[in-house]
Amino acid sequence: MTDLDAGSARPPIFDTDLARFDRDVIDASQHQPILVDFWADWCPPCRALTPVLERVIAQQAGKLQLAKIEVDDGDNMKLAGRYGLRGFPTVLLFVRGEIVGRFSSAKTEPWVREFLSEHIELA
């Protein structure tokens, strides 16, 4: 099985970390948009945003994936530093290895759907 095959078999919502980020997000976003949720367990807005993101991803039926990064696990805070994140939750949208959009704090489901429609073609 190739790496591409492994990526396509991955569930639409998955956890990743510093060691796997380039493969799981940068490389995978060459083939499909990847929304990346930087969150922390101690963060109430992070816990509020999670079910919103999960519903939006489920509604998109495989058109994009959601990578979740717990910033307090291991060296994951280095990723937050790499992308200049100042608070959590922060969500980055990667397409073809590049960030095409970002937002911070908890948002409503309609807001997240609108954000996605402004940045990628989901029809």
Side-chain angles (χ1 to χ4, degrees), residues 33-36 52-61 63-66 91-95 100-103 107-123:
I34 309 284
L35 205 57
V36 182
V52 170
L53 295 176
E54 289 172 348
R55 284 192 301 272
V56 169
I57 294 297
Q59 292 165 357
Q60 295 306 320
K63 295 177 184 168
L64 74 155
Q65 292 183 316
L66 173 64
V91 176
L92 305 180
L93 177 60
F94 285 82
V95 176
V100 298
R102 72 167 60 204
F103 67 87
K107 302 292 185 192
T108 64
E109 193 171 325
W111 192 98
V112 173
R113 285 195 309 266
E114 181 65 24
F115 166 83
L116 290 171
S117 70
E118 289 173 3
H119 293 89
I120 56 177
E121 180 63 43
L122 292 173

Side-chain angles (χ1 to χ4, degrees), residues 25-74:
V25 174
I26 304 299
D27 296 346
S29 73
Q30 299 296 331
H31 309 285
Q32 182 176 51
I34 309 284
L35 205 57
V36 182
D37 177 21
F38 289 86
W39 66 281
D41 191 50
W42 48 262
C43 164
C46 297
R47 291 195 302 274
L49 182 61
T50 294
V52 170
L53 295 176
E54 289 172 348
R55 284 192 301 272
V56 169
I57 294 297
Q59 292 165 357
Q60 295 306 320
K63 295 177 184 168
L64 74 155
Q65 292 183 316
L66 173 64
K68 297 191 59 62
I69 298 175
E70 215 299 19
V71 294
D72 289 332
D73 277 355

